[in-house]
Amino acid sequence: MRLHKIKPLYILFFMIIMLYVTPSNAASPWPMFMHDARHTGRSEYTIPDQIALMWESDVASQEITGMSISVDGDTIYAASADHYLYAVDASDGSVTWQYQAEHEFVGTPAVDENGNIYIGSKDDYLYCLFWDGKLKWKEKLDSDVTSSPVLSDSGFVVVCTDDYLYAYDSAGTSLWMYDQCGSYSTPAISDDGTIYMAGSGDLHAIDENGNLTWVADLTQAEYSSPAIGDDGVIYCPEGHNSSSPGAINAIDSDGSILWSYALGDMPYLSNPATGPDGTIYIGCDDDYLYAIDPDGSLKWRYLMDNSMNGSSFAVDATGNVLTIAQSANSSLVALNSQGQLKWSVYPDFEFSSQLPIIGIDGVVFVSTWGGEILAIGSGDQENIEMNGSIDESGDESDDESGGSGCFLIVSGSEDMSAPEMTVLVLGGVTLLMGIARRIKKLT
């Protein structure tokens, strides 16, 4: 039998194809609060330059408290104050299953690499569900859950109540509990497993065994969640009090404060995020979104239509920023990395207090106080106006008593063009062809 020599190019091509067609435990497009354990708020996908409303769905009867996305990107998991966790088809907004707790769910569900879903409730339980909505386990805590669950790279999950920080493994076994003395934010976890939690006005560093490593002496760091940069620096907001102004602090991994940027006499701040270039994004009660350079200097600020107290951010692969101010009828805005408006969504209803999330192909999902979810994707229309609501079947309704339309205005910035990276989300074949051409040139 004659053996044919196979060129290395074809072997590499075959290996890449296998990576695409073989199931894996890769992380979801948006697996937890602020996207990841470090709370960067950063997606691997790029939002569109122009938009269209893909669908609008009445999912819950009350506010949606947070959303995440399944490992395959096909399902949105939406927790609600109406006591239900909903699984929503990302392609059309239809509800595929729902799970009921005894009280309202809190925060954003977390999805592990095996598709298990973690979420806490005011019924004092931490729940873990299988991907199909069946209960895997639930564990009783000392009181109401007050944070979103966070998954570490090593596989444990942490969640806060009024008094304690709890850690469990994926089987529901209690690993440890830490007396956190009052925290109203979600902890962040670094790549080495250290948990950073704002509580009692300070920032606590706790190792993965539940032992306190150090405490950074701040003044009012308890309402906003910390974020961790790619270099391991922790960015922790603290609100204004009688002795000091509100600020965003950069804290080294040993607990020393590197710098502090004052944000004025405002008591409450947003949850920070970090861009791909290291920029720190933070919002304030003074209605401004601030972009801070990693050295602590101001890059730019953008005037929102209301307070940024409690807001959060979603940052795409090219540094575009999505956020919503916290007031009735505040708009969803998309800014480029220079602080210029790309587009806005102006509703005639109130978006929920939770951040927008970014799914596969850069589709943006955002929820409302009334329990709706909107999917915003790529389009070519300058203005889209919806009169009436859309029911589960997708038909328009003219019933004004139940209507919940929205008005969208698209505004393209003059200096932004579609980045070449967007070809990565157009499909594996395009990517493979590009790689093959590059390798051929080299060989």
Tab-separated table of all heavy atoms in Angstrom, residues 261-321:
chain	number	residue	atom	x	y	z
A	261	TYR	N	-8.812	58.163	42.729
A	261	TYR	CA	-9.345	59.246	41.899
A	261	TYR	C	-10.664	59.714	42.518
A	261	TYR	O	-11.634	58.946	42.612
A	261	TYR	CB	-9.578	58.788	40.462
A	261	TYR	CG	-10.036	59.906	39.547
A	261	TYR	CD1	-9.102	60.686	38.873
A	261	TYR	CD2	-11.383	60.178	39.376
A	261	TYR	CE1	-9.521	61.735	38.059
A	261	TYR	CE2	-11.805	61.220	38.571
A	261	TYR	CZ	-10.875	61.990	37.910
A	261	TYR	OH	-11.291	63.031	37.116
A	262	ALA	N	-10.699	60.964	42.983
A	262	ALA	CA	-11.879	61.509	43.653
A	262	ALA	C	-13.004	61.748	42.655
A	262	ALA	O	-12.799	62.275	41.563
A	262	ALA	CB	-11.518	62.818	44.358
A	263	LEU	N	-14.213	61.357	43.058
A	263	LEU	CA	-15.390	61.504	42.210
A	263	LEU	C	-16.422	62.432	42.823
A	263	LEU	O	-17.589	62.419	42.446
A	263	LEU	CB	-16.009	60.134	41.938
A	263	LEU	CG	-15.147	59.192	41.081
A	263	LEU	CD1	-15.682	57.783	41.135
A	263	LEU	CD2	-15.089	59.691	39.650
A	264	GLY	N	-16.023	63.257	43.774
A	264	GLY	CA	-16.906	64.289	44.300
A	264	GLY	C	-17.716	63.854	45.496
A	264	GLY	O	-17.599	62.741	45.999
A	265	ASP	N	-18.566	64.762	45.946
A	265	ASP	CA	-19.354	64.544	47.154
A	265	ASP	C	-20.641	63.793	46.827
A	265	ASP	O	-21.756	64.266	47.055
A	265	ASP	CB	-19.676	65.884	47.825
A	265	ASP	CG	-18.425	66.585	48.314
A	265	ASP	OD1	-17.438	65.886	48.592
A	265	ASP	OD2	-18.437	67.828	48.416
A	266	MET	N	-20.483	62.618	46.281
A	266	MET	CA	-21.619	61.787	45.920
A	266	MET	C	-21.531	60.466	46.688
A	266	MET	O	-20.486	59.831	46.713
A	266	MET	CB	-21.637	61.516	44.415
A	266	MET	CG	-21.779	62.780	43.582
A	266	MET	SD	-23.393	63.538	43.862
A	266	MET	CE	-23.179	65.120	43.037
A	267	PRO	N	-22.637	60.048	47.326
A	267	PRO	CA	-22.555	58.888	48.218
A	267	PRO	C	-22.473	57.541	47.529
A	267	PRO	O	-21.961	56.584	48.098
A	267	PRO	CB	-23.838	58.998	49.040
A	267	PRO	CG	-24.792	59.730	48.149
A	267	PRO	CD	-23.959	60.696	47.356
A	268	TYR	N	-22.973	57.441	46.293
A	268	TYR	CA	-23.056	56.126	45.671
A	268	TYR	C	-22.436	56.133	44.283
A	268	TYR	O	-22.558	57.099	43.532
A	268	TYR	CB	-24.511	55.664	45.590
A	268	TYR	CG	-25.191	55.599	46.923
A	268	TYR	CD1	-26.202	56.492	47.254
A	268	TYR	CD2	-24.805	54.648	47.872
A	268	TYR	CE1	-26.828	56.448	48.494
A	268	TYR	CE2	-25.420	54.592	49.109
A	268	TYR	CZ	-26.434	55.493	49.422
A	268	TYR	OH	-27.030	55.446	50.648
A	269	LEU	N	-21.815	55.001	43.937
A	269	LEU	CA	-21.145	54.867	42.659
A	269	LEU	C	-21.643	53.603	41.955
A	269	LEU	O	-22.381	52.801	42.521
A	269	LEU	CB	-19.627	54.785	42.869
A	269	LEU	CG	-18.977	55.929	43.646
A	269	LEU	CD1	-17.517	55.610	43.916
A	269	LEU	CD2	-19.111	57.230	42.886
A	270	SER	N	-21.219	53.434	40.704
A	270	SER	CA	-21.579	52.235	39.961
A	270	SER	C	-20.614	51.104	40.282
A	270	SER	O	-19.665	51.267	41.049
A	270	SER	CB	-21.542	52.538	38.459
A	270	SER	OG	-20.188	52.606	38.013
A	271	ASN	N	-20.856	49.961	39.657
A	271	ASN	CA	-19.875	48.881	39.663
A	271	ASN	C	-18.871	49.162	38.555
A	271	ASN	O	-19.265	49.454	37.427
A	271	ASN	CB	-20.566	47.541	39.414
A	271	ASN	CG	-21.561	47.202	40.493
A	271	ASN	OD1	-21.215	47.112	41.665
A	271	ASN	ND2	-22.822	47.020	40.113
A	272	PRO	N	-17.568	49.112	38.820
A	272	PRO	CA	-16.576	49.408	37.788
A	272	PRO	C	-16.402	48.261	36.806
A	272	PRO	O	-16.777	47.118	37.083
A	272	PRO	CB	-15.297	49.646	38.590
A	272	PRO	CG	-15.470	48.790	39.805
A	272	PRO	CD	-16.935	48.805	40.117
A	273	ALA	N	-15.824	48.564	35.642
A	273	ALA	CA	-15.445	47.568	34.647
A	273	ALA	C	-14.099	47.974	34.079
A	273	ALA	O	-13.658	49.125	34.251
A	273	ALA	CB	-16.497	47.476	33.543
A	274	THR	N	-13.445	47.060	33.388
A	274	THR	CA	-12.147	47.366	32.779
A	274	THR	C	-12.177	47.014	31.298
A	274	THR	O	-12.688	45.960	30.910
A	274	THR	CB	-10.996	46.595	33.454
A	274	THR	OG1	-11.224	45.188	33.317
A	274	THR	CG2	-10.910	46.950	34.930
A	275	GLY	N	-11.638	47.896	30.467
A	275	GLY	CA	-11.601	47.685	29.038
A	275	GLY	C	-10.404	46.864	28.606
A	275	GLY	O	-9.492	46.599	29.402
A	276	PRO	N	-10.358	46.460	27.329
A	276	PRO	CA	-9.226	45.669	26.839
A	276	PRO	C	-7.898	46.403	26.889
A	276	PRO	O	-6.841	45.777	26.904
A	276	PRO	CB	-9.631	45.320	25.406
A	276	PRO	CG	-10.705	46.277	25.040
A	276	PRO	CD	-11.394	46.646	26.300
A	277	ASP	N	-7.935	47.748	26.925
A	277	ASP	CA	-6.700	48.528	27.018
A	277	ASP	C	-6.376	48.923	28.452
A	277	ASP	O	-5.461	49.700	28.693
A	277	ASP	CB	-6.798	49.782	26.141
A	277	ASP	CG	-7.911	50.722	26.580
A	277	ASP	OD1	-8.722	50.345	27.468
A	277	ASP	OD2	-7.997	51.845	26.041
A	278	GLY	N	-7.131	48.389	29.421
A	278	GLY	CA	-6.881	48.679	30.827
A	278	GLY	C	-7.674	49.841	31.382
A	278	GLY	O	-7.617	50.118	32.595
A	279	THR	N	-8.441	50.553	30.547
A	279	THR	CA	-9.251	51.668	31.024
A	279	THR	C	-10.257	51.194	32.061
A	279	THR	O	-10.881	50.135	31.902
A	279	THR	CB	-9.994	52.330	29.854
A	279	THR	OG1	-9.054	52.813	28.911
A	279	THR	CG2	-10.844	53.498	30.341
A	280	ILE	N	-10.417	51.986	33.127
A	280	ILE	CA	-11.404	51.681	34.170
A	280	ILE	C	-12.620	52.559	33.954
A	280	ILE	O	-12.501	53.786	33.805
A	280	ILE	CB	-10.833	51.926	35.582
A	280	ILE	CG1	-9.538	51.133	35.779
A	280	ILE	CG2	-11.850	51.548	36.649
A	280	ILE	CD1	-8.284	51.953	35.641
A	281	TYR	N	-13.805	51.941	33.924
A	281	TYR	CA	-15.052	52.671	33.745
A	281	TYR	C	-15.824	52.674	35.058
A	281	TYR	O	-15.996	51.638	35.693
A	281	TYR	CB	-15.891	52.041	32.637
A	281	TYR	CG	-15.198	52.071	31.291
A	281	TYR	CD1	-14.567	50.929	30.792
A	281	TYR	CD2	-15.150	53.238	30.535
A	281	TYR	CE1	-13.908	50.957	29.567
A	281	TYR	CE2	-14.486	53.269	29.311
A	281	TYR	CZ	-13.879	52.131	28.834
A	281	TYR	OH	-13.221	52.162	27.627
A	282	ILE	N	-16.278	53.862	35.470
A	282	ILE	CA	-16.993	54.016	36.725
A	282	ILE	C	-18.028	55.120	36.561
A	282	ILE	O	-17.780	56.125	35.893
A	282	ILE	CB	-16.011	54.349	37.890
A	282	ILE	CG1	-16.716	54.422	39.244
A	282	ILE	CG2	-15.238	55.613	37.617
A	282	ILE	CD1	-17.081	53.091	39.833
A	283	GLY	N	-19.202	54.916	37.125
A	283	GLY	CA	-20.261	55.918	37.076
A	283	GLY	C	-20.511	56.498	38.446
A	283	GLY	O	-20.178	55.890	39.470
A	284	CYS	N	-21.134	57.676	38.485
A	284	CYS	CA	-21.299	58.401	39.741
A	284	CYS	C	-22.692	59.011	39.813
A	284	CYS	O	-23.389	59.164	38.805
A	284	CYS	CB	-20.218	59.477	39.826
A	284	CYS	SG	-20.146	60.355	41.402
A	285	ASP	N	-23.081	59.400	41.034
A	285	ASP	CA	-24.351	60.083	41.259
A	285	ASP	C	-24.426	61.439	40.574
A	285	ASP	O	-25.492	62.029	40.497
A	285	ASP	CB	-24.553	60.285	42.768
A	285	ASP	CG	-25.615	59.343	43.326
A	285	ASP	OD1	-26.257	58.641	42.528
A	285	ASP	OD2	-25.805	59.312	44.547
A	286	ASP	N	-23.289	61.963	40.097
A	286	ASP	CA	-23.306	63.260	39.417
A	286	ASP	C	-23.714	63.128	37.949
A	286	ASP	O	-23.587	64.093	37.181
A	286	ASP	CB	-21.943	63.945	39.522
A	286	ASP	CG	-20.825	63.164	38.833
A	286	ASP	OD1	-21.104	62.109	38.232
A	286	ASP	OD2	-19.662	63.605	38.911
A	287	ASP	N	-24.183	61.951	37.550
A	287	ASP	CA	-24.705	61.659	36.202
A	287	ASP	C	-23.609	61.423	35.165
A	287	ASP	O	-23.926	61.297	33.972
A	287	ASP	CB	-25.634	62.771	35.687
A	287	ASP	CG	-26.836	63.019	36.597
A	287	ASP	OD1	-27.032	62.240	37.541
A	287	ASP	OD2	-27.576	63.986	36.342
A	288	TYR	N	-22.359	61.346	35.585
A	288	TYR	CA	-21.273	61.153	34.621
A	288	TYR	C	-20.757	59.718	34.632
A	288	TYR	O	-20.684	59.065	35.680
A	288	TYR	CB	-20.095	62.087	34.927
A	288	TYR	CG	-20.255	63.479	34.358
A	288	TYR	CD1	-20.700	64.527	35.153
A	288	TYR	CD2	-19.963	63.742	33.021
A	288	TYR	CE1	-20.846	65.812	34.631
A	288	TYR	CE2	-20.103	65.018	32.491
A	288	TYR	CZ	-20.547	66.038	33.299
A	288	TYR	OH	-20.694	67.311	32.783
A	289	LEU	N	-20.374	59.259	33.455
A	289	LEU	CA	-19.588	58.048	33.284
A	289	LEU	C	-18.140	58.489	33.107
A	289	LEU	O	-17.843	59.295	32.232
A	289	LEU	CB	-20.064	57.271	32.056
A	289	LEU	CG	-19.480	55.899	31.740
A	289	LEU	CD1	-20.341	55.215	30.685
A	289	LEU	CD2	-18.045	55.949	31.224
A	290	TYR	N	-17.244	57.973	33.932
A	290	TYR	CA	-15.836	58.351	33.893
A	290	TYR	C	-15.001	57.212	33.300
A	290	TYR	O	-15.197	56.041	33.636
A	290	TYR	CB	-15.310	58.641	35.300
A	290	TYR	CG	-15.901	59.875	35.942
A	290	TYR	CD1	-17.137	59.822	36.581
A	290	TYR	CD2	-15.225	61.085	35.919
A	290	TYR	CE1	-17.687	60.949	37.180
A	290	TYR	CE2	-15.766	62.220	36.520
A	290	TYR	CZ	-16.992	62.146	37.142
A	290	TYR	OH	-17.540	63.272	37.731
A	291	ALA	N	-14.071	57.575	32.433
A	291	ALA	CA	-13.076	56.630	31.921
A	291	ALA	C	-11.729	57.035	32.505
A	291	ALA	O	-11.225	58.138	32.233
A	291	ALA	CB	-13.029	56.660	30.401
A	292	ILE	N	-11.161	56.163	33.336
A	292	ILE	CA	-9.920	56.457	34.057
A	292	ILE	C	-8.787	55.617	33.481
A	292	ILE	O	-8.922	54.405	33.290
A	292	ILE	CB	-10.070	56.145	35.568
A	292	ILE	CG1	-11.349	56.785	36.138
A	292	ILE	CG2	-8.844	56.617	36.334
A	292	ILE	CD1	-11.374	58.280	36.088
A	293	ASP	N	-7.660	56.267	33.214
A	293	ASP	CA	-6.481	55.571	32.731
A	293	ASP	C	-5.905	54.692	33.847
A	293	ASP	O	-6.078	55.003	35.040
A	293	ASP	CB	-5.434	56.593	32.275
A	293	ASP	CG	-4.315	55.963	31.463
A	293	ASP	OD1	-4.510	55.790	30.252
A	293	ASP	OD2	-3.262	55.648	32.051
A	294	PRO	N	-5.223	53.594	33.509
A	294	PRO	CA	-4.630	52.751	34.562
A	294	PRO	C	-3.649	53.470	35.479
A	294	PRO	O	-3.345	52.967	36.570
A	294	PRO	CB	-3.912	51.653	33.763
A	294	PRO	CG	-4.673	51.555	32.478
A	294	PRO	CD	-5.088	52.964	32.173
A	295	ASP	N	-3.151	54.651	35.078
A	295	ASP	CA	-2.269	55.410	35.969
A	295	ASP	C	-3.043	56.329	36.907
A	295	ASP	O	-2.438	57.054	37.705
A	295	ASP	CB	-1.238	56.208	35.157
A	295	ASP	CG	-1.879	57.303	34.294
A	295	ASP	OD1	-3.104	57.537	34.383
A	295	ASP	OD2	-1.128	57.930	33.519
A	296	GLY	N	-4.379	56.329	36.819
A	296	GLY	CA	-5.200	57.126	37.726
A	296	GLY	C	-5.608	58.482	37.193
A	296	GLY	O	-6.244	59.259	37.916
A	297	SER	N	-5.286	58.798	35.948
A	297	SER	CA	-5.681	60.087	35.360
A	297	SER	C	-6.966	59.925	34.550
A	297	SER	O	-7.287	58.839	34.055
A	297	SER	CB	-4.560	60.618	34.461
A	297	SER	OG	-4.289	59.718	33.403
A	298	LEU	N	-7.693	61.032	34.417
A	298	LEU	CA	-8.953	61.020	33.679
A	298	LEU	C	-8.692	61.000	32.180
A	298	LEU	O	-7.945	61.814	31.649
A	298	LEU	CB	-9.785	62.257	34.041
A	298	LEU	CG	-11.124	62.403	33.307
A	298	LEU	CD1	-12.100	61.308	33.740
A	298	LEU	CD2	-11.729	63.787	33.569
A	299	LYS	N	-9.324	60.058	31.467
A	299	LYS	CA	-9.242	60.019	30.007
A	299	LYS	C	-10.370	60.839	29.397
A	299	LYS	O	-10.154	61.667	28.519
A	299	LYS	CB	-9.334	58.573	29.507
A	299	LYS	CG	-8.166	57.705	29.894
A	299	LYS	CD	-8.281	56.301	29.327
A	299	LYS	CE	-8.136	56.278	27.813
A	299	LYS	NZ	-8.072	54.878	27.303
A	300	TRP	N	-11.583	60.607	29.844
A	300	TRP	CA	-12.749	61.367	29.405
A	300	TRP	C	-13.914	61.071	30.341
A	300	TRP	O	-13.838	60.164	31.161
A	300	TRP	CB	-13.141	61.056	27.951
A	300	TRP	CG	-13.281	59.604	27.593
A	300	TRP	CD1	-12.349	58.817	26.977
A	300	TRP	CD2	-14.417	58.750	27.818
A	300	TRP	NE1	-12.822	57.535	26.812
A	300	TRP	CE2	-14.100	57.462	27.292
A	300	TRP	CE3	-15.675	58.932	28.382
A	300	TRP	CZ2	-14.984	56.395	27.342
A	300	TRP	CZ3	-16.568	57.860	28.435
A	300	TRP	CH2	-16.212	56.615	27.922
A	301	ARG	N	-14.954	61.870	30.216
A	301	ARG	CA	-16.179	61.574	30.934
A	301	ARG	C	-17.361	61.887	30.019
A	301	ARG	O	-17.254	62.722	29.117
A	301	ARG	CB	-16.282	62.346	32.255
A	301	ARG	CG	-16.384	63.858	32.125
A	301	ARG	CD	-16.557	64.501	33.484
A	301	ARG	NE	-16.828	65.937	33.361
A	301	ARG	CZ	-17.201	66.715	34.362
A	301	ARG	NH1	-17.323	66.206	35.575
A	301	ARG	NH2	-17.431	68.003	34.168
A	302	TYR	N	-18.469	61.208	30.254
A	302	TYR	CA	-19.636	61.338	29.396
A	302	TYR	C	-20.851	61.602	30.279
A	302	TYR	O	-21.094	60.889	31.253
A	302	TYR	CB	-19.844	60.055	28.589
A	302	TYR	CG	-21.012	60.107	27.639
A	302	TYR	CD1	-20.859	60.604	26.350
A	302	TYR	CD2	-22.276	59.653	28.025
A	302	TYR	CE1	-21.923	60.648	25.465
A	302	TYR	CE2	-23.348	59.696	27.149
A	302	TYR	CZ	-23.166	60.192	25.879
A	302	TYR	OH	-24.229	60.245	25.002
A	303	LEU	N	-21.631	62.645	29.932
A	303	LEU	CA	-22.811	63.009	30.715
A	303	LEU	C	-23.977	62.113	30.326
A	303	LEU	O	-24.448	62.148	29.181
A	303	LEU	CB	-23.161	64.478	30.495
A	303	LEU	CG	-24.360	65.000	31.304
A	303	LEU	CD1	-24.065	64.917	32.807
A	303	LEU	CD2	-24.698	66.439	30.894
A	304	MET	N	-24.445	61.312	31.270
A	304	MET	CA	-25.603	60.455	31.058
A	304	MET	C	-26.881	61.255	31.305
A	304	MET	O	-26.824	62.433	31.674
A	304	MET	CB	-25.522	59.244	31.988
A	304	MET	CG	-24.309	58.369	31.759
A	304	MET	SD	-24.422	57.369	30.247
A	304	MET	CE	-25.742	56.232	30.690
A	305	ASP	N	-28.032	60.597	31.168
A	305	ASP	CA	-29.288	61.319	31.365
A	305	ASP	C	-29.791	61.248	32.794
A	305	ASP	O	-30.842	61.795	33.109
A	305	ASP	CB	-30.361	60.844	30.388
A	305	ASP	CG	-30.518	59.326	30.374
A	305	ASP	OD1	-29.977	58.673	31.291
A	305	ASP	OD2	-31.177	58.807	29.460
A	306	ASN	N	-29.033	60.571	33.679
A	306	ASN	CA	-29.408	60.547	35.082
A	306	ASN	C	-28.280	59.893	35.878
A	306	ASN	O	-27.210	59.587	35.341
A	306	ASN	CB	-30.724	59.798	35.292
A	306	ASN	CG	-31.550	60.402	36.424
A	306	ASN	OD1	-31.139	60.374	37.583
A	306	ASN	ND2	-32.706	60.963	36.088
A	307	SER	N	-28.546	59.666	37.167
A	307	SER	CA	-27.537	59.117	38.076
A	307	SER	C	-27.038	57.757	37.617
A	307	SER	O	-27.783	56.940	37.074
A	307	SER	CB	-28.135	58.994	39.480
A	307	SER	OG	-27.288	58.243	40.327
A	308	MET	N	-25.744	57.513	37.865
A	308	MET	CA	-25.134	56.215	37.572
A	308	MET	C	-25.034	55.346	38.828
A	308	MET	O	-24.346	54.325	38.837
A	308	MET	CB	-23.749	56.418	36.972
A	308	MET	CG	-23.748	57.075	35.613
A	308	MET	SD	-24.483	56.015	34.358
A	308	MET	CE	-23.236	54.741	34.222
A	309	ASN	N	-25.709	55.744	39.901
A	309	ASN	CA	-25.704	54.984	41.140
A	309	ASN	C	-26.188	53.554	40.889
A	309	ASN	O	-27.312	53.333	40.445
A	309	ASN	CB	-26.615	55.685	42.154
A	309	ASN	CG	-26.936	54.819	43.353
A	309	ASN	OD1	-26.172	53.936	43.721
A	309	ASN	ND2	-28.085	55.066	43.966
A	310	GLY	N	-25.338	52.571	41.172
A	310	GLY	CA	-25.712	51.177	41.034
A	310	GLY	C	-25.661	50.630	39.626
A	310	GLY	O	-25.988	49.461	39.411
A	311	SER	N	-25.273	51.446	38.655
A	311	SER	CA	-25.205	50.971	37.271
A	311	SER	C	-24.028	50.024	37.080
A	311	SER	O	-23.146	49.922	37.926
A	311	SER	CB	-25.068	52.159	36.310
A	311	SER	OG	-26.190	53.008	36.355
A	312	SER	N	-24.029	49.349	35.943
A	312	SER	CA	-22.922	48.469	35.570
A	312	SER	C	-22.626	48.650	34.093
A	312	SER	O	-23.346	49.374	33.392
A	312	SER	CB	-23.272	47.006	35.870
A	312	SER	OG	-23.493	46.804	37.248
A	313	PHE	N	-21.578	47.986	33.617
A	313	PHE	CA	-21.119	48.168	32.238
A	313	PHE	C	-20.909	46.822	31.564
A	313	PHE	O	-20.567	45.834	32.201
A	313	PHE	CB	-19.794	48.942	32.213
A	313	PHE	CG	-19.843	50.263	32.916
A	313	PHE	CD1	-19.434	50.382	34.232
A	313	PHE	CD2	-20.309	51.391	32.266
A	313	PHE	CE1	-19.476	51.590	34.893
A	313	PHE	CE2	-20.362	52.609	32.915
A	313	PHE	CZ	-19.944	52.717	34.227
A	314	ALA	N	-21.094	46.833	30.260
A	314	ALA	CA	-20.664	45.733	29.404
A	314	ALA	C	-19.716	46.332	28.378
A	314	ALA	O	-20.039	47.340	27.744
A	314	ALA	CB	-21.856	45.068	28.724
A	315	VAL	N	-18.538	45.739	28.233
A	315	VAL	CA	-17.500	46.254	27.341
A	315	VAL	C	-17.227	45.200	26.272
A	315	VAL	O	-16.997	44.028	26.603
A	315	VAL	CB	-16.203	46.569	28.110
A	315	VAL	CG1	-15.178	47.218	27.186
A	315	VAL	CG2	-16.494	47.471	29.311
A	316	ASP	N	-17.253	45.591	25.004
A	316	ASP	CA	-17.033	44.593	23.962
A	316	ASP	C	-15.555	44.432	23.639
A	316	ASP	O	-14.689	45.074	24.243
A	316	ASP	CB	-17.896	44.888	22.723
A	316	ASP	CG	-17.339	45.995	21.830
A	316	ASP	OD1	-16.261	46.561	22.121
A	316	ASP	OD2	-17.991	46.304	20.811
A	317	ALA	N	-15.248	43.579	22.653
A	317	ALA	CA	-13.864	43.213	22.363
A	317	ALA	C	-13.028	44.381	21.869
A	317	ALA	O	-11.795	44.360	21.984
A	317	ALA	CB	-13.834	42.081	21.340
A	318	THR	N	-13.649	45.409	21.312
A	318	THR	CA	-12.904	46.558	20.796
A	318	THR	C	-12.942	47.761	21.730
A	318	THR	O	-12.417	48.813	21.386
A	318	THR	CB	-13.445	46.973	19.415
A	318	THR	OG1	-14.812	47.360	19.550
A	318	THR	CG2	-13.344	45.831	18.429
A	319	GLY	N	-13.561	47.614	22.907
A	319	GLY	CA	-13.585	48.698	23.879
A	319	GLY	C	-14.841	49.534	23.859
A	319	GLY	O	-14.933	50.518	24.611
A	320	ASN	N	-15.840	49.187	23.049
A	320	ASN	CA	-17.124	49.880	23.112
A	320	ASN	C	-17.792	49.572	24.446
A	320	ASN	O	-17.702	48.453	24.956
A	320	ASN	CB	-18.032	49.446	21.966
A	320	ASN	CG	-17.480	49.816	20.606
A	320	ASN	OD1	-17.016	50.932	20.395
A	320	ASN	ND2	-17.524	48.878	19.661
A	321	VAL	N	-18.495	50.562	25.010
A	321	VAL	CA	-19.053	50.450	26.352
A	321	VAL	C	-20.570	50.588	26.306
A	321	VAL	O	-21.095	51.510	25.667
A	321	VAL	CB	-18.478	51.539	27.284
A	321	VAL	CG1	-19.012	51.365	28.702
A	321	VAL	CG2	-16.962	51.504	27.282
